Structure formats: C-alpha cells, structure tokens
Amino acid sequence: MSRSGSGDEPFGWVPEAHSVFTERILAEEPSYPCYFGTQGQQRGNNSFSAVDTRYPDTHGPAALARSLRAYRQRAWQGPKRQTLIVFVGPAVPGAELADDHRRFWTLLDELRAYDTEPWPAEVPTDPADPRWQWCFDGEPWFIFAASPAYRDRRSRDLGPCLTLVFQVRRVFEGIGGSTVAGKAAKRRVREGLARYDRIGPHPTLGDGDTSTDFKWRQYALPDDASVAAPDACPVRHHAAVPVLPERNAVDGSALPQSHERQRP
C-alpha cells in the first residue's frame, strides 16, 4: 500500500492528524461522547506524541517509551484528567481495521521491551487472567486504539491515522466504576455513544452501574458487537523482560511546539 505524508520528513504528516483530531474532539454537533476528552482539549490538559513508522530506530517504540514516561510524570501532577494522544503514521490509505489493530497490539508488545520498571505486583502477568491490564513504568494504564477504518463505531475514529490514547489510573480517581460519580459519568458517556455511533455501546464496556473484567477487550473494540474469548488477548504473557538500550532514540514527543501539547 502507498503511504501518505509530507515526503520523507519525519512527522511531516502530524499537523494534519493533530488538526483533524482537534476538530472532531471539539465539534459541537455531534459532540464527542467522552466529555472528559473534550474538556481536556479545551483546557490544554491533553499531551501529544507520535510514532513515525518509517523510522523505527529513531521515531519508534524506544522513543515512544520515553514519551510515556515523561507523560506519566506530568500526569501525576496538576490536573487529574490528563491524557496522552499518540499519532501513528503516516496514514496507510485503505488500511483495514484488523491491520490497525495488529499494529496497535504489536506496538504494545514492543514497548514492554523498553520498560525500566518491574511489573506491578498487584497486577497478574497473564493476559488470560480477568484482572490483567497493560502496565508500563510500574502501573496499569487505560489505553485504546482509534482508527479511520471504523465505520459504525465513529467515536473510535479520531483522524486520518491510527491514534492511541493513554491514561494513567489517576485519571479515574473519584470516578471509579463503583462510585456514584463514576456511575453517573459512565451513564453520560454511554448516552453520548448512543447518539454519536451508528451502533450501540460494545458489551465489554459494561452497563452504567457495573465495571467489567478483561479490560484488554476495551482497548481495540471491533466495529460490531462481537466479543473476544477471554484467552484471546493478542499480548504475550508478561514475564520479566530485558530492557533494551534506547540507542539513537529520539523522544517521539519532539514535535513542532504547537503540536507537542495543546494549550488553552
């Protein structure tokens, strides 16, 4: 497949991805269903990074690992609702959803090789365990993949390229699934999804009053209501892994300043 972008310049395709993302998150009609994401963009609390797949040695997983650690340090200070958005490009015209999902899961596996902190003791290392979550830098994260290949689940199409959303657990302080505020927030998001998407909320998202196990099934949702088997997580068993040297790594967040962090 041919790739689109601004010649061979690293990150030359990022301004368009950032512009489309901003337009969709801030659109008033229809409004994006995750109002926390919209507020984060309005208040300048969303951070941005990118992976340029044409330059894996310098703008690939090692650089993204550095960006994740920098974001995590920021996310545990200041406002609670901070999010890291990662554009993965250049865009691949005509890519299928399955292609973008494979790229997403592969990148998560590659990132583990650059994790300098031990896997948290309270989180199982076996993805088949219902309590497993993807972890990095010593804590579990919530992540999801967005792709232009979605047709019905429009809330997971955030622009022209594969886009990853990362959040540390601090984001959910005060709005956990068992709290009154958390249940209210979840119901509001589900109502927004019902208006925004052409398909109902996916079964793995649970209902407005309960949380679900096997969180990995929410990371890369299908474009229908199918549910993956509990033992079908694409991530390999996470035993201890050797940390690879970040040789020649350039921080993936080293974008033009106007795209490094959205400001009010």
Side-chain angles (χ1 to χ4, degrees):
M1 295 181 187
S2 64
R3 291 182 179 273
S4 63
S6 300
D8 292 329
E9 179 187 358
F11 301 136
W13 47 271
V14 168
E16 179 188 2
H18 181 271
S19 177
V20 175
F21 171 87
T22 301
E23 179 181 332
R24 294 190 182 176
I25 288 292
L26 299 182
E28 295 183 0
E29 188 57 44
S31 60
Y32 190 69
C34 180
Y35 61 95
F36 289 126
T38 299
Q39 287 179 348
Q41 191 72 359
Q42 292 170 334
R43 298 172 181 177
N45 295 335
N46 289 341
S47 298
F48 295 87
S49 185
V51 169
D52 195 313
T53 57
R54 299 168 300 178
Y55 306 95
D57 291 339
T58 55
H59 299 70
L64 179 56
R66 295 173 59 183
S67 296
L68 288 173
R69 287 193 288 271
Y71 156 74
R72 179 178 178 270
Q73 185 174 18
R74 290 194 301 271
W76 279 97
Q77 306 171 26
K80 286 184 180 180
R81 316 286 183 239
Q82 297 187 56
T83 299
L84 174 67
I85 294 93
V86 178
F87 303 121
V88 182
V92 181
E96 300 289 337
L97 184 59
D99 298 328
D100 275 346
H101 282 177
R102 277 193 293 271
R103 296 167 71 200
F104 165 71
W105 291 113
T106 298
L107 187 54
L108 290 190
D109 260 340
E110 291 173 338
L111 281 168
R112 283 288 300 138
Y114 296 96
D115 194 355
T116 58
E117 297 296 326
W119 191 267
E122 70 274 15
V123 179
T125 59
D126 184 357
D129 190 298
R131 297 170 298 136
W132 182 88
Q133 298 180 66
W134 187 77
C135 297
F136 188 83
D137 207 30
E139 74 167 295
W141 297 54
F142 181 73
I143 48 182
F144 72 82
S147 165
Y150 280 104
R151 296 294 177 263
D152 293 326
R153 207 169 297 285
R154 298 170 59 225
S155 57
R156 294 224 171 178
D157 175 2
L158 295 176
C161 63
L162 174 63
T163 302
L164 314 185
V165 176
F166 291 84
Q167 295 175 322
V168 297
R169 57 187 173 185
R170 183 180 182 233
V171 167
F172 302 100
E173 287 184 356
I175 55 170
S178 61
T179 65
V180 173
K183 291 178 181 179
K186 195 170 185 179
R187 284 193 292 270
R188 179 175 175 180
V189 170
R190 287 176 65 85
E191 290 170 358
L193 289 172
R195 293 191 299 268
Y196 196 88
D197 290 345
R198 299 188 182 101
I199 189 173
H202 194 269
T204 59
L205 298 178
D207 57 35
D209 294 311
T210 59
S211 297
T212 58
D213 292 325
F214 299 106
K215 296 291 187 185
W216 64 266
R217 293 194 289 201
Q218 300 179 22
Y219 296 172
L221 290 177
D223 208 19
D224 54 29
S226 60
V227 178
D231 61 352
C233 181
V235 173
R236 298 190 298 268
H237 188 285
H238 279 164
V241 295
V243 177
L244 300 180
E246 295 185 20
R247 187 173 45 201
N248 299 325
V250 176
D251 188 346
S253 64
L255 310 179
Q257 186 171 0
S258 61
H259 301 292
E260 191 173 74
R261 185 180 178 91
Q262 179 68 27
R263 299 184 184 277

